[in-house]
Amino acid sequence: MKAKKFTLKTPHEGFLNITQSVRETIRESGVKSGVVVVWCAHTTAGITINENADPDVVRDMLLGLDKAYPDRPEFRHAEGNSAAHLKCSAMGVSKTIPFEDGNMLLGIWQGIYFCEFDGPRTRNYYVKVIEG
């Protein structure tokens, strides 16, 4: 199956829950068992899996990333978004999730997030279902 491309509009910074689009892509594929790869083709955005029940977790994660990777006056990158590049590298740009009987093997509280660190922008991510 060919990778499915999704486009979204992002805020300045934030996590957008994309779990449902991944579920639908698996369902549409007709594949019952395998892995699904979620890929972000950007250098200042990423993909993560984390709690989707309490929105304060996302808030706290963004706060923690800002503290760990603050914007610094000594950064030399001309676009002024070095902190966003660091956050992207720390978070990563892809996740691979196994699924059985058409259902991802996520934990009860887990969701898949597109992470924006340098918006607002129009962003793309891809979902690839692999049978196996």
Side-chain angles (χ1 to χ4, degrees):
M1 176 182 162
K2 187 176 178 180
K4 186 172 181 179
K5 179 180 178 181
F6 291 87
T7 301
L8 41 84
K9 302 265 187 205
T10 63
H12 168 69
E13 187 174 67
F15 288 17
L16 295 104
N17 191 328
I18 60 171
T19 309
Q20 191 57 37
S21 65
V22 178
R23 275 195 186 105
E24 289 172 6
T25 303
I26 293 169
R27 183 183 49 76
E28 290 168 3
S29 77
V31 175
K32 296 298 179 199
S33 179
V35 295
V36 61
V37 178
V38 183
W39 170 262
C40 168
H42 301 286
T43 61
T44 57
I47 302 291
T48 195
I49 296 173
N50 215 296
E51 182 173 331
N52 66 359
D54 181 354
D56 283 339
V57 171
V58 167
R59 182 196 159 283
D60 293 349
M61 289 179 67
L62 287 167
L63 180 64
L65 286 166
D66 284 343
K67 293 230 181 239
Y69 304 102
D71 194 20
R72 303 176 64 106
E74 59 266 32
F75 286 156
R76 295 175 63 175
H77 181 45
E79 289 183 36
N81 61 356
S82 290
H85 287 286
L86 288 164
K87 292 172 187 176
C88 168
S89 289
M91 196 62 61
V93 296
S94 70
K95 293 293 178 229
T96 302
I97 305 113
F99 64 93
E100 295 290 338
D101 299 319
N103 297 309
M104 288 184 285
L105 301 179
L106 292 173
I108 191 166
W109 305 116
Q110 288 182 315
I112 306 164
Y113 290 93
F114 184 96
C115 311
E116 177 60 73
F117 302 119
D118 191 34
R121 295 184 186 251
T122 299
R123 299 288 200 172
N124 298 312
Y125 66 95
Y126 299 86
V127 178
K128 173 77 174 174
V129 177
I130 302 167
E131 189 169 15

PDB file of all heavy atoms in Angstrom, residues 34-59:
ATOM      1  N   GLY A  34       0.204  -6.129  11.230  1.00  0.00           N
ATOM      2  CA  GLY A  34       1.426  -5.553  10.698  1.00  0.00           C
ATOM      3  C   GLY A  34       1.912  -4.405  11.553  1.00  0.00           C
ATOM      4  O   GLY A  34       1.712  -4.396  12.770  1.00  0.00           O
ATOM      5  N   VAL A  35       2.537  -3.429  10.897  1.00  0.00           N
ATOM      6  CA  VAL A  35       2.971  -2.210  11.562  1.00  0.00           C
ATOM      7  C   VAL A  35       2.526  -1.022  10.735  1.00  0.00           C
ATOM      8  O   VAL A  35       2.343  -1.122   9.514  1.00  0.00           O
ATOM      9  CB  VAL A  35       4.501  -2.150  11.789  1.00  0.00           C
ATOM     10  CG1 VAL A  35       4.958  -3.242  12.749  1.00  0.00           C
ATOM     11  CG2 VAL A  35       5.263  -2.210  10.491  1.00  0.00           C
ATOM     12  N   VAL A  36       2.347   0.087  11.422  1.00  0.00           N
ATOM     13  CA  VAL A  36       2.034   1.333  10.744  1.00  0.00           C
ATOM     14  C   VAL A  36       3.138   2.319  11.115  1.00  0.00           C
ATOM     15  O   VAL A  36       3.542   2.408  12.270  1.00  0.00           O
ATOM     16  CB  VAL A  36       0.621   1.860  11.097  1.00  0.00           C
ATOM     17  CG1 VAL A  36       0.469   2.150  12.573  1.00  0.00           C
ATOM     18  CG2 VAL A  36       0.250   3.067  10.253  1.00  0.00           C
ATOM     19  N   VAL A  37       3.653   3.009  10.123  1.00  0.00           N
ATOM     20  CA  VAL A  37       4.698   4.003  10.329  1.00  0.00           C
ATOM     21  C   VAL A  37       4.088   5.380  10.109  1.00  0.00           C
ATOM     22  O   VAL A  37       3.432   5.625   9.097  1.00  0.00           O
ATOM     23  CB  VAL A  37       5.884   3.785   9.359  1.00  0.00           C
ATOM     24  CG1 VAL A  37       6.949   4.856   9.560  1.00  0.00           C
ATOM     25  CG2 VAL A  37       6.468   2.393   9.528  1.00  0.00           C
ATOM     26  N   VAL A  38       4.293   6.264  11.077  1.00  0.00           N
ATOM     27  CA  VAL A  38       3.840   7.646  10.973  1.00  0.00           C
ATOM     28  C   VAL A  38       5.098   8.497  10.844  1.00  0.00           C
ATOM     29  O   VAL A  38       5.988   8.427  11.695  1.00  0.00           O
ATOM     30  CB  VAL A  38       3.015   8.066  12.212  1.00  0.00           C
ATOM     31  CG1 VAL A  38       2.490   9.475  12.041  1.00  0.00           C
ATOM     32  CG2 VAL A  38       1.879   7.087  12.455  1.00  0.00           C
ATOM     33  N   TRP A  39       5.169   9.287   9.787  1.00  0.00           N
ATOM     34  CA  TRP A  39       6.391  10.003   9.426  1.00  0.00           C
ATOM     35  C   TRP A  39       6.097  11.476   9.202  1.00  0.00           C
ATOM     36  O   TRP A  39       5.139  11.829   8.507  1.00  0.00           O
ATOM     37  CB  TRP A  39       6.967   9.391   8.149  1.00  0.00           C
ATOM     38  CG  TRP A  39       8.078  10.164   7.536  1.00  0.00           C
ATOM     39  CD1 TRP A  39       7.995  11.050   6.496  1.00  0.00           C
ATOM     40  CD2 TRP A  39       9.444  10.151   7.916  1.00  0.00           C
ATOM     41  NE1 TRP A  39       9.213  11.579   6.210  1.00  0.00           N
ATOM     42  CE2 TRP A  39      10.131  11.039   7.074  1.00  0.00           C
ATOM     43  CE3 TRP A  39      10.149   9.469   8.899  1.00  0.00           C
ATOM     44  CZ2 TRP A  39      11.490  11.268   7.176  1.00  0.00           C
ATOM     45  CZ3 TRP A  39      11.513   9.694   8.994  1.00  0.00           C
ATOM     46  CH2 TRP A  39      12.169  10.573   8.140  1.00  0.00           C
ATOM     47  N   CYS A  40       6.915  12.341   9.773  1.00  0.00           N
ATOM     48  CA  CYS A  40       6.826  13.791   9.604  1.00  0.00           C
ATOM     49  C   CYS A  40       8.017  14.244   8.766  1.00  0.00           C
ATOM     50  O   CYS A  40       9.163  14.006   9.152  1.00  0.00           O
ATOM     51  CB  CYS A  40       6.856  14.448  10.985  1.00  0.00           C
ATOM     52  SG  CYS A  40       7.089  16.221  10.948  1.00  0.00           S
ATOM     53  N   ALA A  41       7.761  14.880   7.656  1.00  0.00           N
ATOM     54  CA  ALA A  41       8.835  15.279   6.739  1.00  0.00           C
ATOM     55  C   ALA A  41       9.265  16.729   6.972  1.00  0.00           C
ATOM     56  O   ALA A  41       9.348  17.528   6.035  1.00  0.00           O
ATOM     57  CB  ALA A  41       8.379  15.071   5.298  1.00  0.00           C
ATOM     58  N   HIS A  42       9.518  17.080   8.213  1.00  0.00           N
ATOM     59  CA  HIS A  42       9.909  18.452   8.556  1.00  0.00           C
ATOM     60  C   HIS A  42      11.046  18.425   9.570  1.00  0.00           C
ATOM     61  O   HIS A  42      11.220  17.441  10.294  1.00  0.00           O
ATOM     62  CB  HIS A  42       8.712  19.226   9.126  1.00  0.00           C
ATOM     63  CG  HIS A  42       7.559  19.306   8.180  1.00  0.00           C
ATOM     64  ND1 HIS A  42       7.553  20.125   7.080  1.00  0.00           N
ATOM     65  CD2 HIS A  42       6.383  18.634   8.163  1.00  0.00           C
ATOM     66  CE1 HIS A  42       6.408  19.973   6.421  1.00  0.00           C
ATOM     67  NE2 HIS A  42       5.684  19.068   7.059  1.00  0.00           N
ATOM     68  N   THR A  43      11.786  19.530   9.662  1.00  0.00           N
ATOM     69  CA  THR A  43      12.914  19.600  10.587  1.00  0.00           C
ATOM     70  C   THR A  43      12.613  20.410  11.847  1.00  0.00           C
ATOM     71  O   THR A  43      13.471  20.522  12.725  1.00  0.00           O
ATOM     72  CB  THR A  43      14.160  20.200   9.896  1.00  0.00           C
ATOM     73  OG1 THR A  43      13.848  21.522   9.455  1.00  0.00           O
ATOM     74  CG2 THR A  43      14.594  19.331   8.723  1.00  0.00           C
ATOM     75  N   THR A  44      11.418  20.969  11.944  1.00  0.00           N
ATOM     76  CA  THR A  44      11.031  21.700  13.154  1.00  0.00           C
ATOM     77  C   THR A  44       9.668  21.226  13.665  1.00  0.00           C
ATOM     78  O   THR A  44       8.947  21.956  14.335  1.00  0.00           O
ATOM     79  CB  THR A  44      11.010  23.231  12.912  1.00  0.00           C
ATOM     80  OG1 THR A  44      10.123  23.534  11.835  1.00  0.00           O
ATOM     81  CG2 THR A  44      12.398  23.758  12.625  1.00  0.00           C
ATOM     82  N   ALA A  45       9.330  19.999  13.344  1.00  0.00           N
ATOM     83  CA  ALA A  45       8.103  19.348  13.830  1.00  0.00           C
ATOM     84  C   ALA A  45       8.421  17.878  14.023  1.00  0.00           C
ATOM     85  O   ALA A  45       9.394  17.370  13.463  1.00  0.00           O
ATOM     86  CB  ALA A  45       6.953  19.533  12.839  1.00  0.00           C
ATOM     87  N   GLY A  46       7.609  17.174  14.807  1.00  0.00           N
ATOM     88  CA  GLY A  46       7.905  15.773  15.074  1.00  0.00           C
ATOM     89  C   GLY A  46       6.658  14.954  15.324  1.00  0.00           C
ATOM     90  O   GLY A  46       5.532  15.440  15.179  1.00  0.00           O
ATOM     91  N   ILE A  47       6.872  13.712  15.703  1.00  0.00           N
ATOM     92  CA  ILE A  47       5.801  12.768  16.021  1.00  0.00           C
ATOM     93  C   ILE A  47       6.134  12.139  17.371  1.00  0.00           C
ATOM     94  O   ILE A  47       7.283  11.754  17.621  1.00  0.00           O
ATOM     95  CB  ILE A  47       5.700  11.638  14.956  1.00  0.00           C
ATOM     96  CG1 ILE A  47       5.464  12.205  13.554  1.00  0.00           C
ATOM     97  CG2 ILE A  47       4.624  10.624  15.347  1.00  0.00           C
ATOM     98  CD1 ILE A  47       4.103  12.843  13.325  1.00  0.00           C
ATOM     99  N   THR A  48       5.130  12.035  18.233  1.00  0.00           N
ATOM    100  CA  THR A  48       5.337  11.351  19.506  1.00  0.00           C
ATOM    101  C   THR A  48       4.092  10.570  19.883  1.00  0.00           C
ATOM    102  O   THR A  48       3.014  10.776  19.309  1.00  0.00           O
ATOM    103  CB  THR A  48       5.716  12.336  20.642  1.00  0.00           C
ATOM    104  OG1 THR A  48       6.238  11.575  21.743  1.00  0.00           O
ATOM    105  CG2 THR A  48       4.546  13.174  21.094  1.00  0.00           C
ATOM    106  N   ILE A  49       4.255   9.676  20.839  1.00  0.00           N
ATOM    107  CA  ILE A  49       3.139   8.937  21.445  1.00  0.00           C
ATOM    108  C   ILE A  49       3.173   9.268  22.927  1.00  0.00           C
ATOM    109  O   ILE A  49       4.223   9.144  23.569  1.00  0.00           O
ATOM    110  CB  ILE A  49       3.276   7.419  21.226  1.00  0.00           C
ATOM    111  CG1 ILE A  49       3.192   7.098  19.745  1.00  0.00           C
ATOM    112  CG2 ILE A  49       2.214   6.657  22.030  1.00  0.00           C
ATOM    113  CD1 ILE A  49       3.471   5.645  19.396  1.00  0.00           C
ATOM    114  N   ASN A  50       2.030   9.697  23.452  1.00  0.00           N
ATOM    115  CA  ASN A  50       1.961   9.993  24.870  1.00  0.00           C
ATOM    116  C   ASN A  50       0.515  10.005  25.313  1.00  0.00           C
ATOM    117  O   ASN A  50      -0.387   9.700  24.526  1.00  0.00           O
ATOM    118  CB  ASN A  50       2.661  11.309  25.200  1.00  0.00           C
ATOM    119  CG  ASN A  50       3.335  11.238  26.557  1.00  0.00           C
ATOM    120  OD1 ASN A  50       2.671  11.096  27.573  1.00  0.00           O
ATOM    121  ND2 ASN A  50       4.659  11.311  26.553  1.00  0.00           N
ATOM    122  N   GLU A  51       0.282  10.394  26.555  1.00  0.00           N
ATOM    123  CA  GLU A  51      -1.061  10.366  27.132  1.00  0.00           C
ATOM    124  C   GLU A  51      -2.017  11.273  26.367  1.00  0.00           C
ATOM    125  O   GLU A  51      -1.679  12.403  26.023  1.00  0.00           O
ATOM    126  CB  GLU A  51      -1.018  10.798  28.604  1.00  0.00           C
ATOM    127  CG  GLU A  51      -2.393  10.733  29.243  1.00  0.00           C
ATOM    128  CD  GLU A  51      -2.387  10.996  30.733  1.00  0.00           C
ATOM    129  OE1 GLU A  51      -1.377  10.707  31.393  1.00  0.00           O
ATOM    130  OE2 GLU A  51      -3.413  11.472  31.224  1.00  0.00           O
ATOM    131  N   ASN A  52      -3.229  10.749  26.130  1.00  0.00           N
ATOM    132  CA  ASN A  52      -4.230  11.535  25.421  1.00  0.00           C
ATOM    133  C   ASN A  52      -5.470  11.808  26.275  1.00  0.00           C
ATOM    134  O   ASN A  52      -6.470  12.304  25.777  1.00  0.00           O
ATOM    135  CB  ASN A  52      -4.635  10.858  24.110  1.00  0.00           C
ATOM    136  CG  ASN A  52      -5.358   9.548  24.317  1.00  0.00           C
ATOM    137  OD1 ASN A  52      -5.560   9.105  25.447  1.00  0.00           O
ATOM    138  ND2 ASN A  52      -5.742   8.905  23.238  1.00  0.00           N
ATOM    139  N   ALA A  53      -5.424  11.495  27.558  1.00  0.00           N
ATOM    140  CA  ALA A  53      -6.598  11.674  28.423  1.00  0.00           C
ATOM    141  C   ALA A  53      -6.604  13.032  29.123  1.00  0.00           C
ATOM    142  O   ALA A  53      -7.654  13.647  29.259  1.00  0.00           O
ATOM    143  CB  ALA A  53      -6.660  10.554  29.456  1.00  0.00           C
ATOM    144  N   ASP A  54      -5.463  13.492  29.567  1.00  0.00           N
ATOM    145  CA  ASP A  54      -5.375  14.736  30.325  1.00  0.00           C
ATOM    146  C   ASP A  54      -4.611  15.768  29.496  1.00  0.00           C
ATOM    147  O   ASP A  54      -3.409  15.618  29.269  1.00  0.00           O
ATOM    148  CB  ASP A  54      -4.643  14.472  31.645  1.00  0.00           C
ATOM    149  CG  ASP A  54      -4.514  15.709  32.512  1.00  0.00           C
ATOM    150  OD1 ASP A  54      -4.883  16.820  32.066  1.00  0.00           O
ATOM    151  OD2 ASP A  54      -4.017  15.571  33.645  1.00  0.00           O
ATOM    152  N   PRO A  55      -5.264  16.842  29.039  1.00  0.00           N
ATOM    153  CA  PRO A  55      -4.589  17.844  28.213  1.00  0.00           C
ATOM    154  C   PRO A  55      -3.438  18.542  28.927  1.00  0.00           C
ATOM    155  O   PRO A  55      -2.569  19.131  28.285  1.00  0.00           O
ATOM    156  CB  PRO A  55      -5.696  18.832  27.851  1.00  0.00           C
ATOM    157  CG  PRO A  55      -6.833  18.545  28.760  1.00  0.00           C
ATOM    158  CD  PRO A  55      -6.673  17.139  29.250  1.00  0.00           C
ATOM    159  N   ASP A  56      -3.404  18.473  30.261  1.00  0.00           N
ATOM    160  CA  ASP A  56      -2.287  19.075  30.992  1.00  0.00           C
ATOM    161  C   ASP A  56      -0.967  18.361  30.712  1.00  0.00           C
ATOM    162  O   ASP A  56       0.108  18.960  30.856  1.00  0.00           O
ATOM    163  CB  ASP A  56      -2.563  19.083  32.493  1.00  0.00           C
ATOM    164  CG  ASP A  56      -3.533  20.182  32.894  1.00  0.00           C
ATOM    165  OD1 ASP A  56      -3.683  21.168  32.130  1.00  0.00           O
ATOM    166  OD2 ASP A  56      -4.155  20.056  33.963  1.00  0.00           O
ATOM    167  N   VAL A  57      -1.024  17.105  30.293  1.00  0.00           N
ATOM    168  CA  VAL A  57       0.213  16.385  29.952  1.00  0.00           C
ATOM    169  C   VAL A  57       0.877  17.070  28.761  1.00  0.00           C
ATOM    170  O   VAL A  57       2.089  17.318  28.769  1.00  0.00           O
ATOM    171  CB  VAL A  57      -0.060  14.889  29.672  1.00  0.00           C
ATOM    172  CG1 VAL A  57       1.178  14.210  29.101  1.00  0.00           C
ATOM    173  CG2 VAL A  57      -0.518  14.189  30.938  1.00  0.00           C
ATOM    174  N   VAL A  58       0.103  17.397  27.726  1.00  0.00           N
ATOM    175  CA  VAL A  58       0.651  18.085  26.558  1.00  0.00           C
ATOM    176  C   VAL A  58       1.222  19.439  26.970  1.00  0.00           C
ATOM    177  O   VAL A  58       2.326  19.814  26.571  1.00  0.00           O
ATOM    178  CB  VAL A  58      -0.416  18.242  25.450  1.00  0.00           C
ATOM    179  CG1 VAL A  58       0.038  19.224  24.383  1.00  0.00           C
ATOM    180  CG2 VAL A  58      -0.719  16.886  24.820  1.00  0.00           C
ATOM    181  N   ARG A  59       0.481  20.170  27.782  1.00  0.00           N
ATOM    182  CA  ARG A  59       0.952  21.473  28.272  1.00  0.00           C
ATOM    183  C   ARG A  59       2.274  21.320  29.007  1.00  0.00           C
ATOM    184  O   ARG A  59       3.219  22.076  28.799  1.00  0.00           O
ATOM    185  CB  ARG A  59      -0.095  22.095  29.192  1.00  0.00           C
ATOM    186  CG  ARG A  59       0.277  23.457  29.719  1.00  0.00           C
ATOM    187  CD  ARG A  59      -0.613  23.835  30.923  1.00  0.00           C
ATOM    188  NE  ARG A  59      -0.009  24.854  31.724  1.00  0.00           N
ATOM    189  CZ  ARG A  59       0.988  24.696  32.588  1.00  0.00           C
ATOM    190  NH1 ARG A  59       1.519  23.515  32.777  1.00  0.00           N
ATOM    191  NH2 ARG A  59       1.469  25.708  33.276  1.00  0.00           N
TER     192      ARG A  59
END
